[in-house]
Amino acid sequence: MSKIKLSFSFLLTLLLVGMFSALAFAAAPNAPTGLKAELEKIKSTTSTGQNVTEYDLDLTWDAVSGATSYDVYLNGVLKENVTEQEYSFVGIEEETSIEVAAVNADGTSAKAAFAWNADVNVTKAVDDDENDNSLTNANQTGLGAGGQSENYSNVIKSGGMTNKDGSTSTHKTHGDYANNTNSCASCHQTHTAASKNLLFKNGVYATCTACHDGTLGFYNVFATGTDASKSAGTFGGTEDGNMSVHLATGAVAIKAAPGGNKTGEGSWAGEFTCASCHAPHGSYSDRLLHYNPNGIATTPVADGGQKLVGVPVVTGIPTEKTTDFILVRNTNIDAAKIAADKIFGLSPGATVIQLYKWSGTAYVLDTTPWVYTGTYDATHTYKVYDTAFWAPKPTVPASGKTLEQTIYTDATIATPLKSGKDIRSSNNWIGSNTGAAGKVLLDAATEGDIARAYVVDLDVTPVADAGLAAKNVTKTNVLSLWNGLNWDETGAKKSGKGVVMSGFCSACHTDYLAKSGSESGTYSHAYRHTTTSDTYSCVRCHFAHGTDVTVMKDAQGFTAQDLVDNGQIADITTAKAYMLDKAPSSALKRYTNMSVCWGCHTSSHAEGIRNDQGYGNDSDDPMPGGLDASKQ
């Protein structure tokens, strides 16, 4: 009888275990991961006739084990159930809520949310027709732009211009404008524009790439291959090549930058576009690099920027140091000083104020250009001037006003942006002629705020083609930023070039400007690779525009095409497979995977092992390698 009971109990136990095991294995799938999207910025029109910016978005995600389908949600509402790991949205605005959940017979997973600032993977090439309102003007601005064809003479409106001396030339499109300029018409339409700022295309990115896509016959930002690997990289990579790009379409805010202020406001909240890094109306830097990237020129030094606040104005240059910077006033300049310091627009007897800095032994003229900008306060009732002078600047707010309002409305203020005072200004001085109201103000000034432009010096030379050189086309030797060579004085060394470039990048990627060996960061804290030396500047490891398998290099500095040309790899298909970056994002890298580590650290952190083709490779002939300077 006990055997029967034991058998029955044993069977009951097996039955219960089986039931609970079945319940344990019958569960809803995990939430999807790996959400990524391709964006295309488009233009649509509302019922009121107002242009609004929307996006076509192609969403993908990783397969979920056990899932039979996926629910796609838009703004919290189920859009559709699909069986593939992809879904396309048409005409949605930025920051629209997008979520995906995995589904099977046993239930639905938690929702996975798409992050606009983090999960954007690739931006599609812009379709010119979709970004043009088909309206033109007398200059026929934009006609013939786009399409990867050389059409410079049609799209650039400043060719064949007559100069005052009777000669003809092509005026620059971006900056250095002549008094008879027609350069504006290359980008703007006064009454028939497709977007704000009177651009002939809908948006900054669409306008810039309409010409810089091969239309000009040069400066093609979508070019790939070895030539692109020598400069800023490419926006024209492919998904198969694991491309990554600096997402300059306006789809994300500047605060999306890794190492930046994720919760920032002001300039941080602005759209990231081509104009975030380049100044289309002129710059003090080569390649039109912006003089005020992410507002650092107009941000006080105390907050990490370059603006000097409360600099004392003195008459005469002191021989002893008082502060790091002083403003020196000359109330009666002569012709010699006007010529020497290029103080054009002023006459002998005028007052001029210039910035001087302490060199360690004496005060010397600071040649950094000033930024003369002004922006309205939040209520749009008064203007805040970035470069201005006071006699003196108030320290206590007036009754019923904030201190800032008191400073910019009640105080005696001198700035070239104030009309009717005849105050002249140029790169790094401000002045006023005898008899002008501005001279009285400047003669009385006791202190000033100076917003200083950010200036990047690149190794730029004219291209060999005489026809292109006549169009002001130049080439950049990027290697000069980190090889320590001075391209202004033959044979000499000059430091600081690479560091300045890293500083430019850190205007947005703030925390990544660091020195290795200790934790650092303003918005996040971590140990980081050095970027504060000329040898290790940001652009030594990363492209500014983008990367993919055609422009990346290996540890010896060879591109995929180089490896085929020099016989190391038999065909381009194999070479591309060899060069393919394994990471989910290729992160704008110049060198595939982590090969830049092996290439650079062959003599510093490689425990004495040199990079060669014999160890761990396909050759028995040891050949010293590492990053060949001529191949970088």
Side-chain angles (χ1 to χ4, degrees), residues 412-542:
T412 301
I413 183 173
T415 171
L417 299 184
K418 283 277 193 180
S419 61
K421 304 298 183 183
D422 192 26
I423 295 176
R424 311 291 179 86
S425 62
S426 188
N427 288 359
N428 60 341
W429 59 262
I430 187 171
S432 189
N433 283 312
T434 301
K439 184 174 182 354
V440 176
L441 293 175
L442 294 178
D443 284 349
T446 58
E447 64 179 289
D449 293 351
I450 307 296
R452 297 181 301 153
Y454 201 89
V455 181
V456 179
D457 186 14
L458 301 176
D459 185 5
V460 175
T461 55
V463 295
D465 186 302
L468 292 178
K471 297 174 181 175
N472 305 306
V473 181
T474 58
K475 61 180 180 180
T476 303
N477 182 7
V478 183
L479 274 69
S480 298
L481 281 170
W482 59 79
N483 66 11
L485 296 179
N486 178 358
W487 49 93
D488 297 321
E489 301 169 16
T490 304
K493 295 277 187 177
K494 188 173 184 178
S495 62
K497 305 288 188 177
V499 173
V500 170
M501 188 69 245
S502 292
F504 182 89
C505 300
S506 72
C508 300
H509 303 281
T510 307
D511 287 345
Y512 290 0
L513 187 66
K515 183 176 178 59
S516 61
S518 61
E519 279 190 296
S520 64
T522 301
Y523 306 110
S524 63
H525 295 277
Y527 289 89
R528 312 176 197 275
H529 193 286
T530 295
T531 54
T532 54
S533 75
D534 288 337
T535 306
Y536 300 115
S537 61
C538 301
V539 293
R540 184 169 189 180
C541 296
H542 298 277

Side-chain angles (χ1 to χ4, degrees), residues 38 160 574 582:
E38 295 179 0
T574 304
K582 298 286 290 182

Side-chain angles (χ1 to χ4, degrees), residues 162-181:
T162 300
N163 304 310
K164 288 181 177 179
D165 63 2
S167 63
T168 59
S169 64
T170 297
H171 290 180
K172 288 186 177 181
T173 304
H174 303 292
D176 291 337
Y177 302 117
N179 288 330
N180 66 337
T181 185

Side-chain angles (χ1 to χ4, degrees), residues 130-180:
E130 291 183 352
N131 290 279
D132 197 333
N133 62 13
S134 300
L135 300 177
T136 188
N137 58 2
N139 278 292
Q140 296 186 322
T141 300
L143 191 66
Q148 304 284 325
S149 61
E150 296 186 18
N151 201 16
Y152 177 90
S153 60
N154 287 330
V155 302
I156 297 301
K157 307 303 180 181
S158 55
M161 300 294 293
T162 300
N163 304 310
K164 288 181 177 179
D165 63 2
S167 63
T168 59
S169 64
T170 297
H171 290 180
K172 288 186 177 181
T173 304
H174 303 292
D176 291 337
Y177 302 117
N179 288 330
N180 66 337

Side-chain angles (χ1 to χ4, degrees), residues 366-387:
D366 182 60
T367 57
T368 304
W370 299 357
V371 176
Y372 300 97
T373 48
T375 55
Y376 281 100
D377 73 304
T379 62
H380 206 78
T381 56
Y382 62 91
K383 187 171 284 189
V384 175
Y385 300 100
D386 293 306
T387 294

